[in-house]
Amino acid sequence: SAVGRGPEVPFSSEAYRISATSRGKELRLRLGPLGPGPAQHLVFRFGMSGLFRLCPADQLPRHAHLRFLTGESPPRALCFIDARRFGSWRLGDAWQPDRGPCVLSEYQAFRENVLKNLDDKAFDKPICEALLNQRFFNGIGNYLRAEILYRLKIPPFEKARTVLEALKEQDQAKRKKNPSLTLSKKLKLMRENPDLLELCHTVPMEVIAGDKKLFDPEHSDNYAAFKSWLQCYLVPGMSSLRDRSGRTIWFQGEPGPMAPKGQKSRKKRVQLKADPEAPTPEVTTCASKRHPRAVAKPPQPVVEEEEAAGRLRRGRSCRQRKATLAPASLEVPVKAQRRHRGRGEA
């Protein structure tokens, strides 16, 4: 599109097939022509609102920044839609070099990459901030970190190294006790007593196992299912703070020893639905307690209240004028009379 920030895609073919693979927060598309010609690769990052949608070519949605047209009649378009334009794409098949193994497809490599690099300064930070570091947690985002920490009851501002060093010791103890654990037994132990790194794998898998249109706001039923799946993120009754990168972390209980100073924990209010058949509660004011007879009187219309307020204001202004005129009747010293001569008696 004319307002798209990504590079031009130098690819054209009468017929081609699109295939895709993902790694962490990146998606790689391969445009493979069915005839002669080289393939074209694109690597996407989705930002906060990026998504793909297939729609009629003559009904393109807003913010469709890249379109792949079909050869049918009438044609359709596979659109990369990004309302906030935080997403991007680049030419080529290379993943970003500063991203670690994927928490989904490369779980074992992901786990080893974290535990063998605990001396890195990234783990000097709170665990909620370390979880967003894509060098080690490639695929974890803001809502996932809240859900993971909530399930384990880990304070979000606990030091990351303190949390993860315990996992390193557990791994070493497991190897000594059971050096010949089969994969099925390992998976069973993971399901029964998951640790933080295991939840970095299983919690995103729960989302993937859900409906394909889980995040699409236009499908309200599916989006409602996603909201009901959330246990912590944006859930009423949970507390929230901003971390040092400005991202909001949702949690329950104490924030932890590394919580930013000068912030007050904000709680999301519990919004209860009103029962239409419930009786209207009586509001008892301080005035009604002092003058119980006034409660029995029917409320005056708004017009009368405004007129009463006007009379009150006029009464106040009269009293103020009287108060200003009162000192004029007092005897004024001679020096003061001379000083104000010619300026009026008042």
Side-chain angles (χ1 to χ4, degrees):
S1 69
V3 296
R5 295 178 180 175
E8 293 286 339
V9 182
F11 178 81
S12 179
S13 178
E14 291 293 328
Y16 60 98
R17 178 177 288 110
I18 300 179
S19 56
T21 54
S22 65
R23 184 175 186 266
K25 285 193 170 187
E26 294 182 291
L27 180 78
R28 181 168 61 202
L29 292 190
R30 181 183 184 276
L31 312 180
L34 300 183
Q40 174 71 60
H41 291 89
L42 302 170
V43 176
F44 285 81
R45 291 176 60 191
F46 289 87
M48 292 181 68
S49 59
L51 57 94
F52 279 98
R53 183 178 299 158
L54 188 65
C55 58
D58 58 351
Q59 299 177 18
L60 292 177
R62 292 186 63 192
H63 310 291
H65 299 307
L66 195 61
R67 282 97 65 171
F68 305 95
L69 300 176
T70 65
E72 59 195 338
S73 182
R76 290 182 294 171
L78 178 66
C79 304
F80 176 65
I81 303 168
D82 186 15
R84 298 190 180 186
R85 294 199 289 181
F86 290 162
S88 62
W89 67 86
R90 63 183 187 279
L91 304 178
D93 61 351
W95 304 111
Q96 273 191 320
D98 57 346
R99 289 179 177 263
C102 176
V103 297
L104 290 170
S105 59
E106 303 165 303
Y107 169 70
Q108 199 57 43
F110 148 71
R111 187 180 184 93
E112 292 173 1
N113 183 47
V114 172
L115 295 181
K116 75 179 181 182
N117 289 297
L118 290 181
D119 293 335
D120 194 279
K121 62 181 181 180
F123 299 104
D124 292 335
K125 297 181 178 182
I127 185 62
C128 66
E129 295 179 16
L131 282 171
L132 295 183
N133 190 327
Q134 300 300 296
R135 284 176 56 206
F136 300 104
F137 297 91
N138 187 12
I140 301 300
N142 201 22
Y143 83 91
L144 285 172
R145 66 170 178 173
E147 296 299 313
I148 291 166
L149 294 174
Y150 170 77
R151 294 191 187 190
L152 294 172
K153 307 304 178 191
I154 296 175
F157 292 95
E158 184 64 65
K159 192 173 184 178
R161 189 176 291 108
T162 304
V163 175
L164 294 168
E165 277 181 344
L167 304 187
K168 191 174 184 179
E169 294 171 1
Q170 289 175 14
D171 276 11
Q172 293 172 352
K174 285 178 183 177
R175 290 194 192 100
K176 289 179 181 179
K177 288 182 180 179
N178 303 303
S180 59
L181 270 180
T182 61
L183 180 61
S184 59
K185 288 183 179 179
K186 287 180 180 178
L187 292 174
K188 184 180 178 182
L189 287 173
M190 182 191 299
R191 286 192 296 268
E192 291 174 353
N193 300 296
D195 60 35
L196 185 138
L197 296 180
E198 289 165 349
L199 285 183
C200 287
H201 173 76
T202 57
V203 173
M205 286 297 292
E206 290 178 15
V207 182
I208 292 173
D211 197 308
K212 292 180 181 179
K213 297 175 181 177
L214 201 62
F215 292 97
D216 195 342
E218 291 188 1
H219 297 78
S220 58
D221 294 340
N222 295 311
Y223 192 67
F226 170 67
K227 288 178 71 176
S228 65
W229 173 84
L230 293 170
Q231 299 179 30
C232 178
Y233 183 76
L234 293 177
V235 172
M238 296 295 163
S239 303
S240 66
L241 283 172
R242 288 187 180 275
D243 62 20
R244 287 166 182 80
S245 62
R247 304 289 297 274
T248 301
I249 175 68
W250 297 84
F251 61 95
Q252 186 180 49
E254 294 298 322
M258 298 183 72
K261 297 180 181 179
Q263 278 194 59
K264 288 185 178 180
S265 176
R266 297 171 296 168
K267 263 198 175 179
K268 190 171 178 63
R269 295 180 180 177
V270 180
Q271 297 177 350
L272 299 176
K273 293 183 179 180
D275 185 0
E277 298 181 359
T280 305
E282 295 182 0
V283 180
T284 306
T285 62
C286 296
S288 63
K289 290 179 181 178
R290 290 195 301 268
H291 306 285
R293 293 181 182 177
V295 181
K297 294 181 179 180
Q300 294 181 346
V302 178
V303 178
E304 292 183 7
E305 290 180 2
E306 291 177 352
E307 290 178 357
R311 288 196 297 270
L312 181 61
R313 284 194 295 271
R314 287 195 296 272
R316 285 177 181 170
S317 60
C318 291
R319 288 195 297 273
Q320 288 172 356
R321 283 199 299 271
K322 288 178 182 178
T324 54
L325 292 173
S329 62
L330 300 176
E331 293 184 3
V332 182
V334 178
K335 291 183 180 179
Q337 288 178 355
R338 290 175 183 174
R339 193 161 53 247
H340 294 286
R341 186 175 295 168
R343 297 186 185 180
E345 296 277 333

